[in-house]
């Protein structure tokens, strides 16, 4: 299948840590509010095609411009441990930066 892909570096993650290949993982309460992500690789997948991650091992994570969460840029599916509900309740989100 033909996919158009790209990589992003320097995204900030709130509510979780991101470690390849597991993806999202829990953080301790004393951990920083925002955690930098490793380089993430993305690609567009047709709605007719199966996604790259099983629904029970991934979660949709919103990508916002800033932590104020006023401008939603995209929703991205990332691999994870645990359930998607766990990550939604934790308020997990990605940001392009702290002060854009």
């Amino acid at each position: 299948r033909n996919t158009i892909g790209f990589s992003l570096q320097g995204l900030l993650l709130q509510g979780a840590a991101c470690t390849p290949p597991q993806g999202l993982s829990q953080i301790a309460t004393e951990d920083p509010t925002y955690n930098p992500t490793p380089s993430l690789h993305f690609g567009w997948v047709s709605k007719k095609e199966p996604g790259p991650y099983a629904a029970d091992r991934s979660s949709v994570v919103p990508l916002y411009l800033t932590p104020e969460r006023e401008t939603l840029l995209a929703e991205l599916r990332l691999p994870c441990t645990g359930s998607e509900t766990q990550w939604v309740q934790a308020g997990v989100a990605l940001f392009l930066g702290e002060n854009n």
Side-chain angles (χ1 to χ4, degrees), residues 17-99:
C18 185
T19 309
Q22 300 89 345
L24 300 177
S25 59
Q26 289 184 331
I27 57 172
T29 55
E30 64 272 3
D31 286 343
T33 301
Y34 304 103
N35 295 293
T37 63
S39 180
L40 299 176
H41 307 282
F42 298 99
W44 282 270
V45 179
S46 169
K47 290 185 179 185
K48 298 176 184 177
E49 298 283 329
Y53 306 114
D56 64 341
R57 292 183 308 184
S58 62
S59 180
V60 173
V61 177
L63 171 62
Y64 293 99
L65 185 61
T66 65
E68 286 75 30
R69 299 182 183 216
E70 293 175 354
T71 305
L72 177 66
L73 301 175
E75 291 184 327
L76 310 171
R77 183 162 290 279
L78 299 179
C80 66
T81 59
S83 70
E84 185 167 32
T85 302
Q86 166 189 347
W87 302 113
V88 170
Q89 290 175 342
V92 171
L94 288 163
F95 309 98
L96 288 187
E98 289 186 64
N99 297 310

